Amino acid sequence: MANLTAPPRIDLQDLQLDDARALLKHDARNSEQEAGESPTDYLQRVIDGLCELSLKDPLTGLGNRRHFCSVLERSIESVARSGESVLLLLLDIDHFKSINDKHGHMAGDQVLQAVASCLAHCVRPMDTVARYGGEEFAIILPNCRPLFGRAVAERIRQTVASLSIPVAPLQNIQTTISIGGAYAPEWVRSTADLWIERADLQLYRAKSNGRDQIRLEQPQELSVSAEEKGLLFGNLDMNEMVALEAASGDTPPNAADKATNRVNA
Amino acid sequence: MNDLLTPTADSQDTAKVPLKPLGKVLAVTSGKGGVGKTFVSANLAAALVKRGYKVLVLDADLGLANLDVVLNLYPKITLHDVFTGKAKLEEAILPAPGGFSVLLAGSGMVEYSRLTTEVRNEFLRIISGLVPHYDVVLLDTGAGISDVVLFAVSLASEVLMVATPEPTSLTDAYATIKVLVGQQQRQTVRVIINQSARPGSGQAITHQLQQVLDRFVVTERPIRLIHMGDIPVDPEVRQAVMRRQLMMQTTPGCPAGLAISHIAGALEKSVIPKPT
């Protein structure tokens, strides 16, 4: 596929870049072609900027739902392949509507921003924090062992509860969050929908149990320990195994059926 | 019918739990592939037909259907066409050798092997539509513990776990039973040991599995494994599989055939009320 001819020249005059430039400018980015910057480099920069914008929540600066979903999909792949422990947390600001009602939407926005920045500071750089919608946030914690999940969630809950958020001169408010979490089932190719549903169920439980608390789904114990295996085979008659091999010959009865093998491999 | 389609978010911990199991739906599953799940499903269906039941086998191994290979049936209309709205449910049901009906997944179902809410609802709709027309619906599921398998199993009132006496098969069966107990609060799992080399070995294996479960799996209510029978190693099985014939039709009197008839009889006693 080597391209031997020179690539076609890009003439920026031919392109409608006004909207793209306006979007980038609005996000406080340099949207104009710089001196000495080639058209290709400039376009690449514009595209990169737009991609970044498309994944960001404008109010809080966190990842948006699109970003969250794509990270979640990728996590499922890695969990299915490696059995890595990945925790999904859904977090919801308690009684957010009453903040809006009492202090106005500007105050509501300030609370969202303060909580968002707090969440971003509570986690490791490898974690993904996103605004899932409204006053709901999501955090994906790769490589998070079940032992630590609760500690992380508890730290987040306490840190948010300790915030004093200025919403007007001489007026600070405090807020709490409820957290629900679920681990991706290890070694299993699950779906993002099901995973979110499971975390959401836990969030619902945290809410209905009085808010300002954490509920985590108990991770499934899928592996079979050496101790279990020992007991499983320890007392089994080894003659059974020998007889089985002798009776079935080199190939078990189904092995010759290629379709069965292919399907069940 | 409506309560079947609405998960009730009360009981335990996963989204798959709340589905209410349907009567008369039996899931045939296994921890490991290649242990003869589909062979058991098809031949058990034929044995149940002989006992007077109206039986349908549904290929619930959505992504990797092989019931068609075992039955040597390659229909134009499959479950895939029902899913995509191209055909009605009744058009996809066909008569199989052995006197039962079969609903084949079709190769296009691979794209549904990721379990979205739509796939789940469609699946529920199909099974709810089938149940009133049959005495028994057998779900020939995939192996192991993927979401699709666990979902298909969750639709069944009874689980038939097929395993061979090999250590790998038993380990995987054990792991799957643990998940079924944890996720679906199953209290009984029925065990069928295929390719058994010695009479009575299935009983011993089931007993052993039960002991390990009792010791390592802590639940509110105890899990009970019920040994349904052993299917012995039998050259007729291989013959039937190679010829793509249904063993219960060609050589029902062979040792494996008699064993499957016996299992059908045990099911009649314990699980499926005699059709009227």
Side-chain angles (χ1 to χ4, degrees), chain A residues 49-127:
Chain A
L50 290 176
C51 285
E52 226 181 295
L53 273 185
S54 75
L55 297 175
K56 217 166 78 167
D57 172 53
L59 178 69
T60 62
L62 296 178
N64 60 16
R65 192 164 173 148
R66 182 185 292 131
H67 179 56
F68 164 70
C69 288
S70 83
V71 174
L72 203 62
E73 294 278 357
R74 259 183 284 136
S75 301
I76 286 171
E77 292 301 317
S78 75
V79 169
R81 272 175 205 203
S82 68
E84 184 192 336
S85 229
V86 184
L87 176 62
L88 166 65
L89 295 177
L90 292 181
L91 314 89
D92 192 90
I93 301 177
D94 296 327
H95 301 297
F96 184 71
K97 188 174 180 300
S98 71
I99 297 174
N100 269 332
D101 292 347
K102 201 166 153 192
H103 303 279
H105 287 277
M106 288 288 281
D109 285 354
Q110 278 163 317
V111 169
L112 285 172
Q113 286 168 329
V115 170
S117 122
C118 174
L119 296 181
H121 284 102
C122 275
V123 298
R124 306 162 297 179
M126 65 204 273
D127 301 326

